[in-house]
Amino acid sequence: AQTVTQSQPEMSVQEAETVTLSCTYDTSESDYYLFWYKQPPSRQMILVIRQEAYKQQNATENRFSVNFQKAAKSFSLKISDSQLGDAAMYFCAYRSSILGTYKYIFGTGTRLKVLA
Amino acid sequence: KAGVTQTPRYLIKTRGQQVTLSCSPISGHRSVSWYQQTPGQGLQFLFEYFSETQRNKGNFPGRFSGRQFSNSRSEMNVSTLELGDSALYLCASSLVANLGSRTKQYFGPGTRLTVT
């Protein structure tokens, strides 16, 4: 069965600094998607970035980038130039690409605090 | 463009009752997915609809059901409520069901259900 593990319950970063959130997953599938979601105190979930497993190039979205290591089943999120608005819960998620019976698994989340 | 709306925002029900939650996607979006968030189980995928058809379903009992209408609005129903059904229920919409190819996914603010 697929699993997603976020081993850092909480992390802190100084404003303008860089932070990396870790995520590992386990799957026997070869094709899948990985996501990072942000949930600020308002609880409204935001899709931050996604990675298709068949793409070797790491995804980037402005200050957010991932380090996708398929063989190691690792998918970390790097936030550059951290801002106060980045403070939130971050969830890593796995979704297989097989429609109809796909699994959609979320990690337990990492709470990111941004210090002024 | 209006965002994803969920009604009601807050709901209190008694064990054994049933409840219906509504989600109106962004105009033009045909895919709606539902998630349950609890302190104990975290984030879990419930189901996904596209063009009035259920495309995928998470591992939830048959008490949880949903549907999508021709205008893409979706409802989810929980019958015979249990205390453990107390949760934040999130819905998200996207143009298509496949979240690859840079398809954007937008979440609603959620419905907070409390079962007493």
Side-chain angles (χ1 to χ4, degrees), chain A residues 74-93:
Chain A
S74 169
F75 182 61
S76 60
L77 174 70
K78 185 172 84 170
I79 306 174
S80 304
D81 185 25
S82 297
Q83 301 174 359
L84 295 177
D86 294 334
M89 280 291 287
Y90 286 82
F91 294 94
C92 176

Side-chain angles (χ1 to χ4, degrees), chain B:
Chain B
K1 192 183 261 192
V4 179
T5 57
Q6 291 187 245
T7 56
R9 292 292 310 279
Y10 302 91
L11 201 52
I12 299 175
K13 288 287 189 179
T14 303
R15 194 170 43 183
Q17 288 185 315
Q18 77 165 18
V19 67
T20 298
L21 311 182
S22 180
C23 173
S24 292
I26 289 172
S27 178
H29 284 193
R30 296 165 63 192
S31 177
V32 173
S33 52
W34 289 89
Y35 308 84
Q36 181 198 63
Q37 186 175 26
T38 63
Q41 299 297 317
L43 270 165
Q44 296 184 86
F45 167 73
L46 277 158
F47 25 62
E48 176 184 63
Y49 288 87
F50 180 75
S51 293
E52 302 178 67
T53 301
Q54 186 179 86
R55 298 292 294 270
N56 290 285
K57 189 177 190 301
N59 189 26
F60 277 80
R63 300 186 297 108
F64 291 80
S65 63
R67 58 178 176 170
Q68 187 180 32
F69 301 95
S70 58
N71 62 357
S72 293
R73 188 178 69 86
S74 177
E75 289 181 347
M76 66 162 281
N77 182 276
V78 188
S79 62
T80 320
L81 283 165
E82 300 177 359
L83 296 179
D85 297 333
S86 294
L88 179 68
Y89 289 88
L90 297 167
C91 85
S93 80
S94 57
L95 270 173
V96 295
N98 181 4
L99 287 183
S101 305
R102 305 188 67 80
T103 302
K104 291 193 180 294
Q105 183 187 40
Y106 297 90
F107 283 79
T111 292
R112 171 76 63 184
L113 171 65
T114 302
V115 182
T116 62

Side-chain angles (χ1 to χ4, degrees), chain A residues 5-20:
Chain A
T5 302
Q6 293 180 252
S7 58
Q8 305 153 317
E10 189 171 294
M11 292 197 68
S12 297
V13 62
Q14 207 71 33
E15 199 176 4
E17 295 296 309
T18 296
V19 65
T20 299

